[in-house]
Amino acid sequence: MSNEVQTTENLKPVYYWLDGYWIYDKEEADLMDEINAFGSLHGTALFPQDMPPEQVNKEIAALLTEQGA
Amino acid sequence: MDNIKKTELNHLQTDLQDEMSHNRQCRGLLVLAMIVTLISYLFFSGHLKLGNPLYWGEYFNKGAVTITAFWFMLFSVILLGVFLAWVKHFAYSHFTTYRAIAGVMVTLIGFALLAEMFAALEDQKAKADIQLEGNSAYQATIQPTVGAITASPSLSGDIGAASQRVARCEENLKRGKEKHCEGDKAKLAALEKQQSAALNAQVAATEATEKLRFDRQDKMKADAHNDFIVGIAKFYAGIFGTGAENGYVAYIPWANITLMLIIAIAFERLHAFLIEAGRNIKGNIRGIEQRIAQLQEGSNPLAEGKHLPPNGSPLFRYQEPVKDGGFKQTGIGFTAPVGNKKQGFVGFIPPGHKAPERETPPAAAKTLEPAIKDDAPVLFEGGGKQTPEQREWVLKEYARRTGQTYRQELAGGGKAYRDQALDAPAPALPAKQKAGGTGLQNPALGTAEQHFPLPIEEPEKPRVEPRAELAEKPRVEPRARGLLEPDENHVHAVANEPVKAQAAEARDGADSLYPEWVVAVRAKECRPTVNHSRLWIQRRIAPTMTGSKTNDLKRIDAMRKGFFARAIREGLMQLNANYTNGGKKYLWVG
């Protein structure tokens, strides 16, 4: 159980949209959805906390490709 | 036209009337500011070329040539004043629309301050002179108070008599009638010395008197200025002066300069504000008129809800239905059942769904045969959204069964993207699709075929009943910009084509707010500043924001920050490295 918690704690949620933009702030993501800022509602993905933004970009792009968006 | 549109139109019409009223006031003030600027520059050029206008009458006393030259100079004075005022007005208008050039701004404002101070200081001097003309105390100081320096008449007579005696004595001395004349000579020298001392005393007294008179005049001239200027001068004298009683008189010019500088800066700032306010008002009027036109034509995407997803169901929390119901696990989480499916659970793939051929099986998959048996329990039940903890548990549980992590899979040559951490356990892809398999796979659970061999013999008897209470209900509350009515049927939202269409639309950014803001900034309809962008967002969302939350300044600013953050990341905007207070914090480079 402790290992599971540790694994979860090492992950960081990333909120992203269909156009590939992403942020870390949940409140901001909700707010952007409220005003339809980015053309879709945000999704959530978990990545390691220390993952560099460039890698997050790639991961998000790959995720969207996989989802056929 | 429904009531909501009518109400929105009414609000927009009211806003438009307010803005038009502001616009009229702003234009009137701008005309006034232009006139004041023109007068200020006319005074400046007049002082510069012809001196104080109060004394221009003197030019007409010097003959025809001087009068002709005066008219020519006056013409150039007017031209210079009009040119300077016009350029300043034009430059301010230009810089409130386009990016200011620092050098030009400094020159413009610096010159404006100089000109205004130059003219104002001359005016202060002339005003003081005029006031002193009618000041009897000052006029008294102008009158001579000391008479001419004269020798004493009696003393002069005594000196004359003594000189006569000395001359007579010397004549008698030649004749031998006198032994010497020393006594008479001494008396004459004493008298002359006395006269010289008396004259020197008179000169000294006159000098002292004149100095006092001039000091008095200076003090009265200084005091003829406004008490505020005198106060500033005394303040300067207290800091920089020598402590003399009337030392502040020497600081009157500096006090004048200080006050005129303050006034000139305030005037310049107010003038610039008027032009900036005019730009804002024009932009607002244009935006409101555009929205009114959109509403009246019925093509307003906001009112129609065209910008929204096909329904209230979030894109990333749906399950794609297959023909006869079922589930498709998307990249993120687990979501609700759709359709009228009676059986199944997460990961369920109905019979008859043909899987596409996998081009190249991942290398890792060749060595990592799934360890989960067909009769193994499902890892996650129910159609509700999976929490991160649940999802993590699912991944770990699968890894426990398969002994594989995402990193290991990638290291083994796997190319499949997984929505999970690299070191989190990852399921293996099937090395080979089973005949009749769906090809659909669950990123968390692996292939459905591995869990539930196809074909399912008795679909009417699901092993796990879907939990209806976990099904995601259609969103009924309207979002910020539309979805005026709850969408009863949210099934259509999850079809594959609408998703792709929406994704394309999102990329195009046709109806979403951020791309519209970018377009507005590029079209100069919105300036990329904090205040302008905040106002733009507020104007755009205010008519359709029907949620319970109030769009206070903090929320609006949070939206603005979100836009700026994205613009900065996309290279459209950057922080101004040379930002100073009052300058531009952000620079638009897109």
Side-chain angles (χ1 to χ4, degrees):
Chain A
M1 185 64 188
S2 61
N3 287 338
E4 292 173 8
V5 173
Q6 183 65 31
T7 304
T8 304
E9 288 175 351
N10 287 335
L11 297 175
K12 187 175 185 180
V14 169
Y15 308 98
Y16 66 101
W17 286 266
L18 282 181
D19 58 3
Y21 182 63
W22 57 268
I23 56 176
Y24 288 121
D25 189 339
K26 171 67 173 165
E27 282 187 20
E28 184 182 337
D30 289 338
L31 192 60
M32 293 297 109
D33 282 356
E34 281 188 38
I35 59 172
N36 187 32
F38 303 142
S40 63
L41 298 180
H42 74 265
T44 309
L46 292 171
F47 293 117
Q49 288 190 352
D50 56 352
M51 181 179 279
E54 296 78 17
Q55 186 63 27
V56 176
N57 277 337
K58 293 177 184 174
E59 298 286 338
I60 293 293
L63 180 61
L64 290 170
T65 302
E66 184 176 87
Q67 290 171 342
Chain B
M1 187 179 290
D2 55 29
N3 286 333
I4 293 177
K5 278 188 179 178
K6 284 179 182 173
T7 305
E8 185 178 349
L9 263 178
N10 288 337
H11 289 167
L12 288 172
Q13 294 286 3
T14 305
D15 288 348
L16 185 60
Q17 287 173 4
D18 289 345
E19 294 290 351
M20 295 295 257
S21 170
H22 289 169
N23 193 33
R24 281 193 296 274
Q25 291 183 51
C26 185
R27 286 172 62 184
L29 285 169
L30 273 174
V31 170
L32 192 58
M34 178 72 182
I35 292 172
V36 172
T37 302
L38 177 62
I39 291 173
S40 174
Y41 277 127
L42 284 175
F43 271 121
F44 162 71
S45 55
H47 282 302
L48 191 69
K49 293 176 181 293
L50 290 171
N52 196 313
L54 296 172
Y55 306 119
W56 284 358
E58 290 300 316
Y59 286 101
F60 293 91
N61 299 329
K62 305 290 183 184
V65 175
T66 306
I67 292 173
T68 305
F70 171 80
W71 287 118
F72 178 75
M73 294 289 280
L74 184 63
F75 180 66
S76 70
V77 162
I78 294 171
L79 280 184
L80 181 63
V82 171
F83 169 75
L84 291 173
W86 200 345
V87 164
K88 182 185 157 195
H89 185 82
F90 176 77
Y92 274 18
S93 301
H94 179 82
F95 290 141
T96 50
T97 307
Y98 303 101
R99 187 177 301 174
I101 304 166
V104 176
M105 280 297 281
V106 169
T107 305
L108 181 75
I109 294 179
F111 182 74
L113 294 178
L114 176 71
E116 285 161 17
M117 284 174 58
F118 186 87
L121 288 172
E122 283 288 335
D123 291 343
Q124 289 296 317
K125 228 166 93 179
K127 187 189 77 174
D129 288 344
I130 292 292
Q131 286 186 335
L132 287 174
E133 296 255 340
N135 187 329
S136 57
Y138 179 77
Q139 293 301 324
T141 64
I142 296 175
Q143 302 301 323
T145 56
V146 180
I149 297 173
T150 54
S152 168
S154 60
L155 192 57
S156 297
D158 291 345
I159 289 173
S163 298
Q164 191 176 16
R165 276 196 295 274
V166 169
R168 195 175 295 152
C169 179
E170 286 178 343
E171 189 60 32
N172 289 335
L173 187 61
K174 289 177 184 175
R175 291 177 185 173
K177 292 181 181 178
E178 294 284 350
K179 292 181 180 177
H180 60 83
C181 297
E182 296 304 320
D184 292 336
K185 285 182 179 177
K187 188 176 181 180
L188 177 60
L191 286 172
E192 286 177 343
K193 189 177 179 182
Q194 185 180 354
Q195 187 183 41
S196 176
L199 287 173
N200 286 336
Q202 283 189 57
V203 169
T206 303
E207 280 182 356
T209 304
E210 287 295 294
K211 185 174 185 310
L212 283 174
R213 192 162 67 97
F214 291 144
D215 286 350
R216 173 73 176 152
Q217 285 179 352
D218 288 344
K219 185 173 184 305
M220 292 187 77
K221 278 183 180 176
D223 290 344
H225 288 84
N226 186 285
D227 285 346
F228 189 75
I229 295 174
V230 174
I232 295 174
K234 286 181 177 175
F235 174 74
Y236 283 159
I239 296 175
F240 307 111
T242 55
E245 185 184 358
N246 292 334
Y248 72 92
V249 173
Y251 290 96
I252 285 290
W254 287 107
N256 258 331
I257 290 172
T258 304
L259 183 64
M260 294 308 118
L261 186 64
I262 293 171
I263 293 171
I265 289 174
F267 177 76
E268 292 303 313
R269 185 68 193 93
L270 289 175
H271 196 173
F273 159 74
L274 275 180
I275 295 173
E276 197 172 338
R279 288 289 309 168
N280 287 349
I281 293 170
K282 282 180 187 172
N284 293 344
I285 289 174
R286 198 178 303 140
I288 293 173
E289 286 176 342
Q290 189 176 358
R291 290 186 54 72
I292 289 175
Q294 285 175 342
L295 278 178
Q296 287 175 339
E297 291 175 7
S299 60
N300 181 16
L302 302 185
E304 301 295 331
K306 290 179 181 176
H307 64 288
L308 290 172
N311 74 352
S313 183
L315 282 176
F316 293 97
R317 287 181 284 171
Y318 74 92
Q319 289 178 320
E320 183 175 345
V322 289
K323 289 179 181 177
D324 53 350
F327 304 84
K328 176 184 178 181
Q329 177 58 45
T330 62
I332 298 176
F334 295 76
T335 52
V338 293
N340 55 357
K341 186 180 179 310
K342 294 180 180 177
Q343 80 288 343
F345 36 84
V346 173
F348 172 81
I349 301 298
H353 190 97
K354 299 296 182 185
E357 286 296 328
R358 189 178 298 277
E359 293 179 358
T360 306
K366 295 177 181 177
T367 57
L368 293 172
E369 285 297 325
I372 298 178
K373 305 301 182 186
D374 290 346
D375 58 351
V378 291
L379 296 177
F380 184 79
E381 297 180 3
K385 182 184 176 184
Q386 187 194 34
T387 64
E389 291 76 15
Q390 289 171 323
R391 182 165 164 273
E392 199 61 30
W393 177 84
V394 169
L395 293 172
K396 289 189 72 67
E397 179 62 18
Y398 190 85
R400 188 182 65 76
R401 301 181 188 183
T402 62
Q404 181 190 27
T405 64
Y406 186 17
R407 189 187 298 277
Q408 288 170 331
E409 181 183 278
L410 292 174
K415 295 180 180 177
Y417 174 78
R418 298 194 183 284
D419 177 24
Q420 64 176 78
L422 287 173
D423 291 324
L429 294 172
K432 188 177 181 180
Q433 294 289 320
K434 293 182 179 179
T438 63
L440 300 176
Q441 57 186 309
N442 186 316
L445 302 179
T447 56
E449 292 85 349
Q450 291 160 355
H451 295 283
F452 313 106
L454 298 177
I456 294 177
E457 300 295 337
E458 297 178 349
E460 67 279 5
K461 294 180 180 177
R463 293 159 63 187
V464 179
E465 285 293 336
R467 293 192 292 183
E469 68 275 12
L470 292 177
E472 180 167 343
K473 296 176 181 176
R475 185 191 290 261
V476 294
E477 72 277 15
R479 287 200 186 79
R481 303 181 55 198
L483 198 62
L484 302 176
E485 296 176 358
D487 195 339
E488 294 291 334
N489 176 21
H490 59 278
V491 175
H492 67 271
V494 301
N496 202 28
E497 289 308 315
V499 171
K500 290 185 176 178
Q502 189 187 3
E505 185 178 308
R507 283 191 291 272
D508 294 342
D511 292 326
S512 49
L513 204 55
Y514 171 76
E516 287 183 16
W517 173 73
V518 172
V519 169
V521 172
R522 284 174 171 161
K524 312 293 183 192
E525 292 173 358
C526 172
R527 296 179 63 199
T529 61
V530 172
N531 287 337
H532 283 252
S533 297
R534 202 160 47 199
L535 188 62
W536 187 91
I537 294 171
Q538 190 175 18
R539 292 280 177 193
R540 293 304 308 272
I541 67 171
T544 53
M545 207 67 172
T546 55
S548 59
K549 292 180 180 175
T550 304
N551 279 317
D552 56 15
L553 192 59
K554 189 177 177 184
R555 269 171 62 80
I556 298 285
D557 196 52
M559 297 168 194
R560 192 270 311 161
K561 283 179 181 172
F563 282 21
F564 277 29
R566 177 161 183 173
I568 288 173
R569 192 187 296 180
E570 292 178 342
L572 300 174
M573 179 182 267
Q574 61 188 24
L575 283 170
N576 184 3
N578 300 319
Y579 168 72
T580 54
N581 193 18
K584 287 187 175 181
K585 193 172 183 180
Y586 301 95
L587 298 176
W588 186 263
V589 293

